[in-house]
Each structure stands twice: as structure tokens, then as C-alpha cells.
Amino acid sequence: MKSMLSLRGRIMLGATLWTTGLFIGFGVLLTHAMLLNPRAPDFFHRLFIRHMIELLVLTAICLTIGLVQVRRGLSQFDDLRVRLNRIREGRQSRLDGDYPPEVQPLVTDLNSLLSDREDRIAKAHRKAGDLAHGLKTPLSLLNQQAERAKASGQTELAAAILQQVERMRRQTDYHLAHARASASGGNPGARCHVLTSADALARTMQTLHADRRLAIDVHASHEHFARCQREDFEEMLGNLVDNACKWAKTRVEIRSALDEGHVVTTVDDDGPGLDPSLRETVLQRGVRADEAAPGSGLGLAIVADLVEVYGGSIELQSSPLGGLRARLRLPAA
């Protein structure tokens, strides 16, 4: 029975039954053509008529079973393709199921490749975290020295140190985020729940901007998933929401929608907005957004780089609330 379950066994069985059915059917047609001859004996004619239905039924059975066997053998490749799509969409991380002996080695190699990729991504994340932690301590020490210099009356020196520390911190965050996303972008199983991340970010921003008494409303669907790592999605959306909170007067809104296989997350604020001539400038690679538009920080440049890694897009528009709308578009999972 094991050979019958193999791809080779099913195809051979199907081909044999199909050939047998064709042979029987051709024999029936040939015999019928011969009996049309008026000189054919009546005995053969009666015998043929008596067994013609049984022969035709046998032909149909052989052809049907042969076709079913071949299709069942080849259906394993359709099942493999479906499972690979699930991995690409983040719905599963491994190829499971029973496959014919001819296909199983390929499945095993693919699972090993997926495991190796996950290990590499995990190592990249750990290294990025270690680097961030290693830089955090000296930057904090420099910040303390700047505060001491300021307290001792050396205000100019303190301001210069603080400015450089902040610049190093922003550049470090920028390049670490990009390095992490570059490693994660190749992970076909990346998947992030938009609503969960949006709710968490809204609570965090309300705490950070508690003195502003901002209303941060989340209208994201529970069914929307973005094809990216959760940390990277929250890095992108967090920068957009933080920027909106800095400029909003009273209100920020976060919404999600599906658009041709992509999840579109919009962040609106009721602030003064951004001049249309600057909207493209602050998203250009290599342009410091805080210089192009004072107060916007480096966050928009980080978002632009990260979203490119994941094959998405970021666009700044006028908001229905009167301020700025940031439109984050990522492949749906």
C-alpha cells in the first residue's frame, strides 16, 4: 500500500488504467465497425450487443480511476503550493502534512531552510539589541556630564554636548531600525496584527502626552494584518503617531483599510499640517527631516526607509481633520 501512496505509484497506476480503458474502448469501436459489415456472422453480432454495455462501463471505470489516480498524485504539488503561500502570508511557519516519498526530501530541505532563516533573523535582532544596549550607557553618561556642565554654569558646552548626544541617539536608532528591518524583510512568515499594535501605541502616546490631553482614537479592523515584523511595524506607526501628537491640537485618529492586497494605516491630526512643498522632502533618503521641517524629527525618514524594505509606501496628505495625514501602505498578510 505504501507504493500506492507514492507519486510514482499513483502515476503508473493511473497511466496503466488509462491505457487499459483506451484499449478496451478502441476494441469496442473496432468491433462495432467490423459488425457493420453485412457479411459478419449473426452470432458475433448478438454476442457483441450483449456485452457492449459491460465493456463500455469497464472502459469508463478504467479511464475515471486512472484520471483520479494521476490527479491525486499531482494534487500534492497544489497542496505544497498552498502551504507555501500560507508561510509567505505568515499563517504558518513550517510545511506540515504527509507527502509522497519523491516530494518529502524537498519538503524537508525547505523546512531546514526556513529554520536556518529564522535563526539568522533572531541572531540579527539580538545583535542589534546588544549594540543598542551597548551604546545606551555611554550616551547616558555623556548626557549626565552635559547636565553637570550646565549646572556649573558652562551652558554653551552643555548645549553643544546635548546636541551631539541627541544627534548620535537619533542616528543610532535610525540605523539600528534599518538594519533590523533589512534582516526581517526577507522573512516570509512576518505578520503583525494592526489593531493590537495601534491600541498599544495609542495608550503609550496618551501617557507620553498626558499634559496635552489629546484624544487618540483607534479605528482599525481586527482582521487586518501587515506582512512585517511587529517591532518594525510599531517603529513605523509609532513615529507617525508621535509626530501627529506633537502637532495635534486636540485629536489624533488611527484607521486601517484594505486596498488591493495591502493594508493601509492612516494617522490623522488636527494640527497646522505641513506645507505641500515639504511633504516629499521630509521623506527623501539622506535628508534630515528636522532640518527640512523643524520639529518633525528624524522619524519620517526612518519610516520611509523601513517601508521600502517591506515593499510598501508612505505618503503625506492633507487630513480631513485639518492637519496632516500620514498614509502607511504595507502588503497584507
Side-chain angles (χ1 to χ4, degrees):
M1 290 299 295
K2 188 173 182 58
S3 62
M4 295 294 291
L5 295 177
S6 70
L7 177 62
R8 185 183 295 107
R10 288 191 183 280
I11 292 179
M12 291 182 62
L13 176 62
T16 301
L17 290 173
W18 185 263
T19 302
T20 302
L22 290 177
F23 181 78
I24 295 174
F26 179 76
V28 170
L29 293 177
L30 181 61
T31 304
H32 178 67
M34 293 175 59
L35 291 178
L36 291 178
N37 189 335
R39 292 180 295 179
D42 292 339
F43 170 76
F44 288 107
H45 189 273
R46 290 193 301 269
L47 182 65
F48 175 75
I49 294 297
R50 182 182 306 173
H51 296 287
M52 182 179 65
I53 296 178
E54 289 86 346
L55 291 173
L56 291 176
V57 171
L58 180 61
T59 299
I61 291 175
C62 289
L63 293 176
T64 302
I65 296 178
L67 180 61
V68 168
Q69 288 298 322
V70 173
R71 292 190 63 179
R72 288 187 63 182
L74 297 178
S75 66
Q76 296 289 339
F77 293 100
D78 292 333
D79 179 70
L80 182 61
R81 180 176 58 83
V82 171
R83 295 180 186 275
L84 284 172
N85 283 333
R86 290 178 182 174
I87 292 176
R88 181 174 59 84
E89 295 170 358
R91 298 181 181 180
Q92 63 185 59
S93 59
R94 292 291 183 277
L95 289 171
D96 51 10
D98 296 326
Y99 293 93
E102 297 85 355
V103 181
Q104 188 59 49
L106 173 63
V107 174
T108 302
D109 290 342
L110 286 173
N111 282 330
S112 298
L113 179 62
L114 290 171
S115 298
D116 181 67
R117 183 179 294 274
E118 286 185 358
D119 292 340
R120 291 177 181 272
I121 291 174
K123 290 179 181 179
H125 285 173
R126 287 195 297 268
K127 288 182 178 179
D130 293 341
L131 179 58
H133 182 74
L135 291 173
K136 183 178 180 180
T137 300
L139 288 176
S140 298
L141 291 175
L142 286 174
N143 191 76
Q144 291 178 1
Q145 293 298 324
E147 293 295 339
R148 291 177 181 175
K150 183 179 180 180
S152 64
Q154 301 178 13
T155 55
E156 293 184 3
L157 176 61
I161 295 176
L162 288 174
Q163 181 181 14
Q164 294 304 314
V165 167
E166 180 61 22
R167 182 178 181 181
M168 286 187 289
R169 181 179 289 113
R170 288 182 302 171
Q171 291 293 335
T172 299
D173 292 341
Y174 175 84
H175 290 293
L176 284 176
H178 188 273
R180 186 182 65 241
S182 297
S184 302
N187 183 9
R191 194 167 189 249
C192 175
H193 191 220
V194 175
L195 179 58
T196 300
S197 295
D199 279 336
L201 287 170
R203 291 192 297 268
T204 300
M205 294 302 168
Q206 282 181 327
T207 301
L208 292 175
H209 301 276
D211 57 327
R212 303 274 311 283
R213 298 182 181 274
L214 295 175
I216 304 178
D217 299 323
V218 178
H219 303 283
S221 173
H222 182 73
E223 299 178 354
H224 293 169
F225 292 84
R227 191 180 301 161
C228 68
Q229 292 289 342
R230 178 182 58 82
E231 297 84 357
D232 297 328
F233 179 77
E234 293 182 358
E235 180 81 27
M236 290 182 278
L237 185 60
N239 276 297
L240 297 179
V241 176
D242 184 47
N243 187 69
C245 290
K246 289 177 180 178
W247 289 97
K249 297 177 181 177
T250 60
R251 186 180 177 189
V252 173
E253 288 187 358
I254 306 173
R255 297 180 180 274
S256 69
L258 288 179
D259 179 29
E260 298 181 350
H262 289 74
V263 172
V264 178
T265 308
T266 56
V267 180
D268 292 284
D269 66 71
D270 61 351
L274 184 64
D275 189 276
S277 62
L278 293 177
R279 292 175 186 172
E280 291 296 329
T281 304
V282 298
L283 297 176
Q284 291 177 3
R285 181 180 300 177
V287 175
R288 285 188 53 185
D290 53 343
E291 292 179 353
S296 64
L298 195 62
L300 293 177
I302 293 177
V303 176
D305 251 15
L306 292 183
V307 77
E308 182 180 352
V309 172
Y310 284 105
S313 63
I314 176 68
E315 185 178 3
L316 302 180
Q317 305 170 340
S318 297
S319 171
L321 300 182
L324 184 68
R325 161 173 285 186
R327 190 173 184 267
L328 178 65
R329 192 171 189 264
L330 291 167

